[in-house]
Amino acid sequence: MDTEDIRTLPLGQIEFIVKLYESPNKRSFAESKQQGSYSKQLHEKGWIIPAGSIKRRVRWELVKEFSPSEIKLMKDLLK
């Protein structure tokens, strides 16, 4: 992925991607309505997939591969 593409992503999506990247097995839940909307947008892009659910909470799994330098750039953008 190009660094310019990363810079154009909304900060909420970047935050959710970093959260998934740092979690065990690259899976986590969307914790709020806002993260839920970001997860749907990332799912439409094909970057994450549903990996099961508990009651109404959907667990999401990161399937797009990001390099450590891309994740570092995302973390820097979140600061």
Side-chain angles (χ1 to χ4, degrees), residues 45-57:
K45 292 180 182 181
W47 293 6
I48 64 174
I49 58 171
S53 63
I54 297 175
K55 295 186 183 180
R56 294 188 62 188
R57 296 177 66 195

Side-chain angles (χ1 to χ4, degrees), residues 3-79:
T3 58
E4 289 303 315
D5 294 338
I6 292 173
R7 292 179 191 276
T8 60
L9 287 174
L11 290 177
Q13 288 183 8
I14 292 173
E15 182 179 21
F16 194 61
I17 290 169
V18 170
K19 176 183 172 182
L20 289 173
Y21 185 84
E22 292 178 340
S23 66
N25 299 328
K26 300 199 183 327
R27 295 179 180 180
S28 186
F29 293 101
E31 298 297 331
S32 64
K33 286 185 179 183
Q34 191 67 32
Q35 281 189 352
S37 66
Y38 292 137
S39 65
K40 289 177 186 176
Q41 294 166 358
L42 292 170
H43 177 61
E44 289 172 359
K45 292 180 182 181
W47 293 6
I48 64 174
I49 58 171
S53 63
I54 297 175
K55 295 186 183 180
R56 294 188 62 188
R57 296 177 66 195
V58 177
R59 179 179 290 144
W60 295 97
E61 180 179 357
L62 184 65
V63 292
K64 179 163 176 47
E65 295 293 325
F66 291 99
S67 69
S69 63
E70 291 173 332
I71 296 297
K72 183 181 181 305
L73 174 62
M74 289 182 192
K75 288 180 180 179
D76 289 342
L77 290 172
L78 290 173
K79 290 182 181 178

